[in-house]
Amino acid sequence: MTATWLPEEFAHPLMVPLRDGVHLRPIHPDDTDIDMVAVMGNQPMLWAKYGEAWGWPPADMTAEADREDLDRHAREMVTHESFNYAIMPADESAIYGCIYIDPADDSSAVVGPVAEVSWWVVADAPAGLADAVAAFVPRWLGEGWPFVEVRYPFGEVG
């Protein structure tokens, strides 16, 4: 998918308040250390959700492989190919989860950008955060993104 997926003038948000003390921002390779803690600390849950479709995250994922993955995500955000937002506390000392926004594979019958969206939240996230993310994401995408349709292939909204 190329940058033509979204309108040329679209600028993706760089910092998004989610609730008191928690925000979203584009993930970056420099987040590898805290991403490894979040991902590998929740690897069985993430594999159950994404393993069959994405082959991620493998049980033996290395920090080097994670950094390469985060670097790819960062590059794809710059070119608007796809988006990966980290869910973080104000001090950015941890990753509480991620939100993935990708072009839909089968949107040819729809005029305008169609997104497939998924997210995860760590098991030990602050109380109520998973519910806050579930309420926030559809509203945020509806208000601030140019999508004509948003799909949730992993069942987050249904």
Side-chain angles (χ1 to χ4, degrees), residues 32-152:
T32 299
D33 290 344
I34 56 175
D35 189 61
M36 281 293 291
V37 171
V39 171
M40 298 314 287
N42 293 272
Q43 190 275 339
M45 177 268 296
L46 293 169
W47 185 263
K49 184 171 189 168
Y50 298 115
E52 184 176 332
W54 297 353
W56 179 88
D60 60 352
M61 184 171 75
T62 65
E64 181 180 335
D66 191 34
R67 177 174 277 282
E68 290 171 4
D69 195 39
L70 297 183
D71 184 59
R72 177 183 52 82
H73 284 301
R75 287 191 320 268
E76 289 174 348
M77 289 184 74
V78 169
T79 60
H80 286 182
E81 292 176 63
S82 67
F83 301 88
N84 179 345
Y85 282 89
I87 305 167
M88 309 180 92
D91 67 1
E92 298 195 354
S93 62
I95 290 181
Y96 293 149
C98 285
I99 301 168
Y100 306 104
I101 306 168
D102 297 298
D105 289 334
D106 62 344
S107 62
S108 60
V110 180
V111 177
V114 178
E116 289 188 349
V117 176
S118 180
W119 64 83
W120 56 273
V121 176
V122 296
D124 63 347
L129 183 60
D131 290 338
V133 171
F136 173 81
V137 170
R139 184 178 68 250
W140 174 53
L141 296 174
E143 294 172 356
W145 291 74
F147 304 127
V148 297
E149 182 181 341
V150 177
R151 300 174 186 165
Y152 299 91

